[in-house]
Amino acid sequence: MQIKTQKITTLAILLALASVTFLLEALLPPLLPVAPYVKLGLSNIFVLLAITWFNCLDGCTIIFAKNIITAFFSGWFAFLFNISGSLFAFITMYFLYRFFFPKISYLAISMVGAVFSNIARTATASLLLQAPSLFLQLPFVVVVSIGGGLLVGCITALIVQVLPQKLQQSFCSL
């Protein structure tokens, strides 16, 4: 019973941190004025930690819960952009982590996840707005994605490195 309680508590903390980080990041001006849906994706720090410490279902739960919670505060219009980007980033990062880590680093995992997230957001915007020309901005979006992914990967790697090994092992055993 204690292990289940500890797991739920840890997931709830990761969800809260991801949601608050997402909402704080939404207050910042757009990185690309022509593509306001492009974000650094700092909430993916906590998603990547969930991928590291828990299973796929737990990570998906965080993704869906974060997007629903943040939609209440930031509006439902952006929900489709956010959920598509989050799901594509999650699927990509989960696959890369499970099958290639530690051969590839958190930095690489995060950068690829960020690129896929913003490709999904661009595709969603293009479909919803019926504007295929939005794909013309994709090269700029990818550059910003790589920068954001690099930042998220560095912070995630630092957290994993700094947290005591015993604490991390207790997360992984949940």
Side-chain angles (χ1 to χ4, degrees):
M1 186 66 159
Q2 181 184 4
I3 290 177
K4 188 173 183 178
T5 303
Q6 186 178 5
K7 177 180 181 178
I8 292 170
T9 304
T10 304
L11 287 168
I13 290 169
L14 289 174
L15 172 60
L17 290 169
S19 298
V20 169
T21 304
F22 179 89
L23 291 169
L24 289 174
E25 188 177 353
L27 297 173
L28 300 174
L31 296 172
L32 290 174
V34 296
Y37 51 85
V38 176
K39 305 286 182 198
L40 285 173
L42 297 175
S43 65
N44 282 326
I45 295 166
F46 307 104
V47 173
L48 197 47
L49 289 173
I51 289 170
T52 302
W53 295 330
F54 299 104
N55 62 38
C56 185
L57 181 61
D58 294 330
C60 270
T61 302
I62 286 180
I63 290 292
F64 280 104
K66 177 197 79 158
N67 281 284
I68 290 169
I69 289 168
T70 57
F72 281 110
F73 295 99
S74 63
W76 289 94
F77 175 75
F79 177 77
L80 290 176
F81 298 102
N82 295 334
I83 195 72
S84 66
S86 294
L87 281 173
F88 271 78
F90 174 78
I91 291 166
T92 304
M93 292 189 305
Y94 184 83
F95 175 81
L96 290 173
Y97 181 81
R98 288 295 173 228
F99 295 106
F100 297 103
F101 186 82
K103 293 175 187 167
I104 62 173
S105 67
Y106 283 110
L107 278 68
I109 292 168
S110 179
M111 286 189 290
V112 173
V115 168
F116 274 79
S117 173
N118 281 313
I119 289 172
R121 287 170 177 260
T122 301
T124 302
S126 178
L127 287 171
L128 289 177
L129 303 173
Q130 296 180 347
S133 61
L134 289 175
F135 282 104
L136 295 174
Q137 61 188 320
L138 204 51
F140 304 104
V141 170
V142 167
V143 169
V144 173
S145 301
I146 291 170
L150 183 64
L151 179 62
V152 167
C154 285
I155 293 170
T156 303
L158 184 64
I159 290 170
V160 169
Q161 186 178 32
V162 169
L163 271 181
Q165 194 67 26
K166 185 172 176 103
L167 184 60
Q168 288 183 55
Q169 287 172 347
S170 71
F171 293 150
C172 294
S173 66
L174 299 177

